[in-house]
Amino acid sequence: MMKIVVCVKQVPDTEAEKRLLPDTLTVDRESSNPVLNEMDEFAIEEALKLTEAHGGEVVVLTMGPDGADAAVRKALSMGAHSGILLSDPALAGSDAVATSYAIAQALGTTEYDLVILGSEASDARTSLVPAMLAERLGLPQLTFASKVEIDGTSITVNRLTDYGHDVVQAQLPAVVSVVEKINEPRYPSFKGIMAAKKKPVAELDVAAAGIDAALVGQAAAATTVVDAAQRPPRSAGVKVTDEGDGGVKLAEFLSAQKFI
Amino acid sequence: MAEILVLVDHADGAVKKVTLELLTKARALGTPSAVFIGAGYDKAAEKLAEYGAAKAYVAEDAELDGYVTAPKAELLAKLVAEHAPAAVLVPATAEGKEVAARLAIKTGSGVLTDAVDVSADLVAEQSIFGGSTVAHSKVAKGTPIIAMRPNATAPEAAPATAERVDVSVELTDAAKLAKVVEKVVLPKGDRPELTEASIVVSGGRGVGSGENFAVIEKLADALGAAVGASRAAVDAGWYPHQAQVGQTGKTVSPQLYIAAGISGAIQHRAGMQTSKTIVAINKDEEAPIFELADYGVIGDLFKVVPQVTDEILKRK
Ligand SMILES: Cc1cc2nc3c(=O)[nH]c(=O)nc-3n(C[C@H](O)[C@H](O)[C@H](O)COP(=O)(O)OP(=O)(O)OC[C@H]3O[C@@H](n4cnc5c(N)ncnc54)[C@H](O)[C@@H]3O)c2cc1C
Ligand SMILES: Cc1cc2nc3c(=O)[nH]c(=O)nc-3n(C[C@H](O)[C@H](O)[C@H](O)COP(=O)(O)OP(=O)(O)OC[C@H]3O[C@@H](n4cnc5c(N)ncnc54)[C@H](O)[C@@H]3O)c2cc1C
């Protein structure tokens, strides 16, 4: 029986124009719909598949502001069994170092054989959290996985690399991050959505998770944003319809721009 | 002058262009020391010296390459402890960022990712939200660790001595938990590397098959360009995953990006939006890629792409 914790992040709607708030220089999360980070759906799917094959349960953990429970509910409606919501005003503005610390502490409140994350959150896109978490927990880092196999207490993944892939082996417990090549996330069924409403979600604040408030939040962040400015949008380009000479016209454009 | 550590990105000693960019940037911040991990230093030495490495810390122990990222972070942490550099620069590649992540925890430092520039006072410029916002950030704790995006700086030579200093580290058990049991290396052609290329030609689902990618490759070769692909083309098995451009693929920022048969989904745009000049070829006038394009051709790529290729070859 395996217990898998999936870490998920709530992010602004993928399609929405994103911006930083001018006063706090943090992400404007009010102006668009919050959604579950797409990549994390692949993490949930993989966890569900693994527990379907080997038995066990899936716990979904998120750290986020009020309302981040929506991301947890989405995961529960896909089939995860229970949730942990880590939420506290003290956590607002945490950078990756602090986020990984807070998640590591929250993980300390539960038992697990495997932690699965997405390989990147679509808003900040740092890809730092999974490796930081492995480092903090002292667990094997099996990141950018396009395939995961478990055999008893041994885990093998294909890790996508610049040159192809590495086959990586470790013993459980371990930290895995997945890429979007790994599976096809299921849609929540109506039954799943109804069932999710009754599934338990434990709410943790900083104290309950054993987090030292002095180490998290914007004031404690190891990185600070000094300023931010929106770039003017790209100016509209030229659009031509191919009437048999589209390639020639394009060549003229490339030539005028000195590419040929 | 303060020492700046630069993690060398290389394949068996063949130094990647991003390393030369990092050395160039490091010279504006202090005195660069290259950190070379793995085999093949002899091949790399000259290049590193040419681009201004005053020192080269060389760690050739094969064990450093046998496990996922943790050993490299341990070696760097040791160098940081011994030499107290003013900053550590790594390439903002998937692996570079992971080494940075672990190093940050080990050294109690902050890390900034995807910097496109760094000023002398170590303020990094980050191009965020697909390039729509420019932010300046700095590290407030520990030794600044900055992951620089490839192709953001023009490398400039400035010869130095690259004095070789052999280094090693006694790996902890924790660094040896994730063992690489097999490396699968896909053959790599002669085309420029995607993130280094000044021109990228990408094909998407509209290309229709793996064989048809020859149309894209011919245009790329006429321009001396790298070949990219959308996720749809990669997932269909038409092109290898390393060629994927986008949120989960490579972020490219070439002088010229040509997208053929790519609709321009937000996840694709996230990886190419900061290209200087964007050209789109798509038969659907409504395709969102046209919103970004400096020059768009509405038409069948199988007509337009071969024609522009011929035209380029004629003009050469
Ligand atoms: C534009 C922008 C740039 C930033 N740049 C930096 C920077 O350079 N350095 C820095 O230290 N911080 C940076 N931050 C702050 C950073 O967003 C937060 O620290 C964030 O909590 C973690 O980084 P990420 O979102 O990039 O996660 P990633 O590391 O990209 O996320 C990978 C996975 O980690 C898991 N995960 C991430 N966050 C959570 C969470 N809150 N709860 C549960 N699981 C989670 C998810 O599974 C996710 O798929 C930046 C923020 C913004 C908005
Ligand atoms: C978590 C996640 C991560 C993702 N990461 C990435 C990523 O990194 N990179 C990426 O690209 N996508 C990514 N995607 C997928 C993305 O959402 C799109 O599905 C994908 O980019 C579509 O690829 P495409 O444009 O080639 O295909 P389509 O959207 O199907 O577009 C094909 C286009 O070709 C045109 N066309 C067809 N035939 C011709 C012809 N003969 N001549 C001219 N034009 C023609 C059509 O008009 C159409 O516009 C990701 C998705 C998710 C959920």
Side-chain angles (χ1 to χ4, degrees):
Chain A
M1 291 288 277
M2 266 207 303
K3 192 164 167 187
I4 305 179
V5 179
V6 181
C7 298
V8 303
K9 185 180 184 188
Q10 183 161 290
V11 296
D13 189 351
T14 325
E15 301 283 341
E17 288 291 333
K18 293 182 261 291
R19 64 171 198 133
L20 296 180
L21 292 168
D23 46 344
T24 58
L25 297 174
T26 56
V27 181
D28 179 2
R29 296 185 188 276
E30 304 289 316
S31 66
S32 62
N33 266 341
V35 297
L36 174 60
N37 179 38
E38 269 180 321
M39 195 76 88
D40 300 347
E41 293 182 23
F42 296 80
I44 297 161
E45 177 65 33
E46 199 57 23
L48 292 172
K49 281 169 82 173
L50 288 170
T51 52
E52 281 157 12
H54 302 278
E57 59 169 308
V58 177
V59 182
V60 45
L61 164 68
T62 195
M63 166 182 137
D66 280 353
D69 54 323
V72 174
R73 291 288 164 200
K74 168 102 191 257
L76 295 177
S77 67
M78 287 172 72
H81 300 85
S82 64
I84 301 174
L85 171 63
L86 171 60
S87 189
D88 195 307
L91 295 164
S94 292
D95 66 354
V97 169
T99 301
S100 63
Y101 164 66
I103 293 175
Q105 292 301 105
L107 282 168
T109 66
T110 185
E111 283 170 350
Y112 53 87
D113 303 291
L114 190 58
V115 183
I116 308 186
L117 303 93
S119 50
E120 184 178 288
S122 64
D123 51 354
R125 303 188 60 199
T126 69
S127 282
L128 293 172
V129 173
M132 285 183 170
L133 197 58
E135 172 73 32
R136 288 192 181 275
L137 298 172
L139 295 180
Q141 175 196 324
L142 306 164
T143 41
F144 295 102
S146 63
K147 183 174 161 201
V148 176
E149 272 173 351
I150 289 180
D151 182 3
T153 60
S154 149
I155 176 166
T156 307
V157 310
N158 283 0
R159 166 182 167 81
L160 291 192
T161 65
D162 252 6
Y163 46 78
H165 70 267
D166 284 349
V167 183
V168 182
Q169 231 163 43
Q171 291 296 308
L172 297 177
V175 174
V176 166
S177 81
V178 301
V179 297
E180 92 295 353
K181 307 261 170 272
I182 194 163
N183 57 41
E184 196 56 60
R186 67 195 68 184
Y187 286 105
S189 64
F190 180 69
K191 221 175 112 205
I193 294 168
M194 296 314 286
K197 296 194 167 127
K198 299 199 201 76
K199 289 177 178 171
V201 177
E203 292 188 18
L204 297 179
D205 60 11
V206 158
I211 294 167
D212 180 349
L215 298 178
V216 293
Q218 198 163 9
T223 55
T224 32
V225 183
V226 183
D227 61 53
Q230 261 168 299
R231 271 222 188 96
R234 288 185 90 95
S235 49
V238 179
K239 214 156 115 181
V240 301
T241 302
D242 178 31
E243 275 151 5
D245 60 351
V248 175
K249 280 189 175 150
L250 176 53
E252 276 158 18
F253 170 78
L254 294 176
S255 173
Q257 300 287 316
K258 309 240 174 332
F259 289 114
I260 41 179
Chain B
M1 278 259 269
E3 185 170 9
I4 309 289
L5 297 185
V6 172
L7 179 63
V8 176
D9 193 356
H10 70 98
D12 295 320
V15 176
K16 301 264 170 79
K17 185 168 151 232
V18 64
T19 302
L20 312 180
E21 296 165 11
L22 263 52
L23 286 170
T24 303
K25 266 295 152 213
R27 295 201 312 263
L29 310 176
T31 309
S33 293
V35 180
F36 185 96
I37 302 174
Y41 177 70
D42 287 345
K43 206 165 143 194
E46 207 177 311
K47 262 265 144 72
L48 298 177
E50 187 187 341
Y51 284 84
K55 258 193 217 168
Y57 297 111
V58 181
E60 287 186 314
D61 186 353
E63 228 194 358
L64 290 165
D65 242 356
Y67 306 91
V68 177
T69 60
K72 292 179 181 162
E74 288 200 348
L75 181 90
L76 278 172
K78 187 178 172 202
L79 292 174
V80 167
E82 283 171 3
H83 302 279
V88 181
L89 303 187
V90 303
T93 56
E95 186 182 78
K97 291 207 276 186
E98 292 197 328
V99 172
R102 301 190 72 115
L103 180 65
I105 302 302
K106 284 179 187 302
T107 57
S109 307
V111 40
L112 295 169
T113 61
D114 295 285
V116 292
D117 200 3
V118 203
S119 65
D121 53 352
L122 293 171
V123 172
E125 182 169 309
Q126 290 170 299
S127 170
I128 60 176
F129 304 144
S132 66
T133 299
V134 180
H136 291 96
S137 318
K138 61 176 197 244
V139 172
K141 283 184 184 166
T143 305
I145 304 167
I146 300 172
M148 299 271 312
R149 196 176 270 175
N151 238 355
T153 314
E156 283 161 30
T161 47
E163 177 206 341
R164 176 176 177 148
V165 182
D166 286 290
V167 291
S168 63
V169 63
E170 186 78 34
L171 292 183
T172 65
D173 290 341
K176 297 194 267 191
L177 293 172
K179 191 171 174 29
V180 178
V181 292
E182 190 188 346
K183 269 191 202 293
V184 178
V185 181
L186 297 177
K188 197 184 147 298
D190 311 326
R191 294 192 184 89
E193 199 137 337
L194 198 51
T195 53
E196 296 180 356
S198 55
I199 303 180
V200 174
V201 183
S202 288
R205 199 195 306 274
V207 176
S209 73
E211 295 82 73
N212 288 352
F213 252 83
V215 175
I216 302 293
E217 290 178 334
K218 279 185 194 136
L219 174 56
D221 292 343
L223 289 164
V227 176
S230 72
R231 176 187 170 203
V234 169
D235 284 4
W238 304 340
Y239 231 68
H241 76 82
Q242 295 98 314
Q244 183 169 321
V245 171
Q247 192 196 322
T248 41
K250 302 275 164 50
T251 300
V252 299
S253 201
Q255 298 299 317
L256 171 65
Y257 186 86
I258 302 181
I262 293 178
S263 62
I266 187 93
Q267 297 91 346
H268 186 78
R269 292 156 66 146
M272 45 66 73
Q273 206 147 15
T274 56
S275 306
K276 305 292 174 302
T277 300
I278 296 174
V279 169
I281 302 156
N282 197 303
K283 66 180 183 192
D284 174 10
E285 178 176 1
E286 303 291 320
I289 191 77
F290 286 126
E291 291 162 22
L292 292 183
D294 298 288
Y295 197 88
V297 183
I298 305 160
D300 184 348
L301 74 89
F302 295 106
K303 300 211 173 85
V304 178
V305 175
Q307 190 176 68
V308 70
T309 309
D310 286 346
E311 200 63 26
I312 291 166
L313 294 174
K314 251 192 259 165
R315 286 169 191 234
K316 263 198 193 164

